[in-house]
Amino acid sequence: QVQLVESGGGLVQAGGSLRLSCAASGRTFETYAMGWFRRAPGKEREFVSAIRRRDGTTVYADSVKGRFTISGDNAKNTVYLQMNSLKPEDTAVYYCASDTTGPMSRISSAYEYWGQGTQVTVSS
């Protein structure tokens, strides 16, 4: 089992920045990749970004590329999502997820463990 706890969400004006954190505990040594997903009101959950634990390889959704940066600290079992140049359309609940099997995926069903989510609200 892996437990994930997100933090760092909040209210920010358009153009601002936030840094989300995801702290993992439990059988973290089995982690292949960590991902961030988000769900906006009335919309399906969508992929944001992922990072492969072994070598730090990252992938991003086109909608956040160039604005968001994912990073990981294996010693702390923590993954971060630095979000810059935030837009109102980035408003959503952001979820951290863990995949133990690979390959790194943009599909939510590939991830076995999920955090409870943290709200990000971007005002215009």
Side-chain angles (χ1 to χ4, degrees), residues 13-65:
Q13 288 189 329
S17 298
L18 282 175
R19 188 195 197 200
L20 305 184
S21 298
C22 173
S25 61
R27 300 175 67 88
T28 57
F29 58 89
E30 295 180 340
T31 300
Y32 180 88
M34 297 289 292
W36 286 97
F37 290 77
R38 67 186 182 186
R39 176 174 284 164
K43 294 188 176 181
E44 298 288 322
R45 181 167 53 190
E46 65 173 353
F47 172 78
V48 176
S49 182
I51 184 168
R52 188 161 59 198
R53 179 184 175 96
R54 181 181 74 235
D55 59 7
T57 297
T58 60
V59 292
Y60 295 93
D62 288 343
S63 58
V64 306
K65 198 173 296 183

Side-chain angles (χ1 to χ4, degrees), residues 6 11-12 16 32 37 53-54 56 58-59 76 91-92 119 123:
E6 303 97 333
L11 173 65
V12 64
Y32 180 88
F37 290 77
R53 179 184 175 96
R54 181 181 74 235
T58 60
V59 292
K76 295 183 178 180
T91 295
Q119 176 71 47
S123 63

